[in-house]
């Protein structure tokens, strides 16, 4: 099974989790790169505003071809209660290349349900596994347990599909 983890990370949390998942699944990593300056207070407000308006922006071409993978795991921070703009842009541009999707979000404490739903609507398929990690989870140190469950659900789903 070839697995690619596609993520965007402004301050490193989504990347950290992507790296943990990659080790557990032997997956490859692909970071989404855009050309917006998202640093500092101005970058914070620009990013929040873009996310609120559900904007789609140009992103750099991926190094890997998502269509070559059996599963794409997408990771995004939640911005203004929404998908981060680089990840919305990735999903819109590459949706036809996504055979199977697993999805996770990182946030301070928002309800992730509408973000899960938007990802599902864009790719027109239900993710095989979902996870939302909040800062409270990280503070309480139970985020690694959550990653274990996420990975277990993914493996279980792939196993079931293979035995059909
Ligand atoms: C522009 C912006 C908007 C954010 N909006 C929310 C939000 O609505 N709800 C929330 O729980 N966290 C929000 N956050 C916090 C991020 O989701 C959180 O810090 C996440 O861990 C960042 O991931 P990263 O380190 O991979 O960039 C926001 C952060 C940024 C930069």
């Amino acid at each position: 099974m070839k697995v690619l983890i596609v993520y965007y990370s402004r301050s490193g949390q989504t990347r950290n989790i992507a790296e943990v998942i990659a080790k557990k699944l032997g997956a490859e990593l692909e970071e989404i790169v855009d050309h917006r300056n998202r640093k500092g207070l101005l970058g914070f407000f620009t990013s929040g505003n873009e996310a609120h308006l559900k904007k789609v922006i140009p992103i750099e071409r991926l190094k890997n071809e998502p269509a070559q993978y059996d599963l794409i795991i997408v990771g995004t921070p939640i911005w203004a209660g929404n998908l981060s703009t680089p990840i919305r842009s990735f999903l819109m541009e590459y949706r036809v290349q996504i055979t199977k999707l697993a999805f996770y979000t990182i946030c301070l404490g928002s309800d992730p349900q509408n973000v899960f739903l938007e990802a599902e609507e864009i790719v027109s398929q239900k993710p095989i596994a979902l996870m939302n990690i909040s800062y409270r989870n990280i503070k309480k140190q139970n985020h690694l347990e959550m990653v274990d469950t996420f990975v277990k659900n993914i493996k279980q789903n792939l196993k079931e599909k293979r035995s059909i």
Side-chain angles (χ1 to χ4, degrees):
M1 276 280 170
K2 279 189 76 176
V3 181
L4 181 67
I5 305 175
V6 179
Y7 67 92
Y8 177 82
S9 191
R10 177 176 175 266
S11 53
Q13 299 284 356
T14 314
R15 181 184 305 114
N16 289 343
I17 299 300
E19 288 171 356
V20 176
I21 300 169
K23 275 206 188 103
K24 288 182 186 292
L25 282 173
E28 287 168 65
L29 288 162
E30 175 91 46
E31 180 163 14
I32 296 297
V33 180
D34 67 0
H35 300 284
R36 296 281 207 268
N37 182 1
R38 302 195 181 279
K39 293 197 183 112
L41 210 56
L42 186 63
F44 179 88
F45 284 113
T46 309
S47 300
N49 190 46
E50 272 182 358
H52 175 68
L53 297 173
K54 295 185 185 278
K55 286 211 169 168
V56 175
I57 55 160
I59 54 170
E60 268 186 29
R61 199 188 156 85
L62 267 58
K63 291 184 232 75
N64 301 287
E65 284 268 315
Q68 303 290 320
Y69 292 82
D70 303 299
L71 171 71
I72 305 294
I73 302 176
V74 174
T76 181
I78 293 183
W79 285 355
N82 280 297
L83 284 168
S84 69
T85 317
I87 286 297
R88 175 178 299 101
S89 306
F90 160 74
L91 290 171
M92 296 291 284
E93 195 173 331
Y94 287 87
R95 58 186 155 192
V96 293
Q97 288 202 42
I98 301 175
T99 317
K100 205 176 287 216
L101 175 74
F103 185 74
Y104 73 92
T105 51
I106 311 285
C107 71
L108 290 179
S110 276
D111 181 345
Q113 289 312 318
N114 68 315
V115 185
F116 289 167
L117 204 67
E118 193 186 351
E120 179 182 327
E121 281 170 1
I122 294 173
V123 297
S124 305
Q125 61 172 290
K126 265 203 180 315
I128 64 165
L130 288 166
M131 169 175 73
N132 174 57
I133 292 178
S134 70
Y135 271 36
R136 189 195 286 197
N137 299 130
I138 294 172
K139 214 168 135 197
K140 281 166 67 188
Q141 293 280 308
N142 56 13
H143 60 297
L144 292 177
E145 228 172 272
M146 294 170 76
V147 172
D148 280 343
T149 307
F150 182 64
V151 167
K152 208 174 88 191
N153 289 342
I154 289 172
K155 284 184 174 165
Q156 183 66 32
N157 183 286
L158 296 178
K159 213 165 86 188
E160 278 167 14
K161 289 276 152 33
R162 272 204 304 265
S163 60
I164 289 171

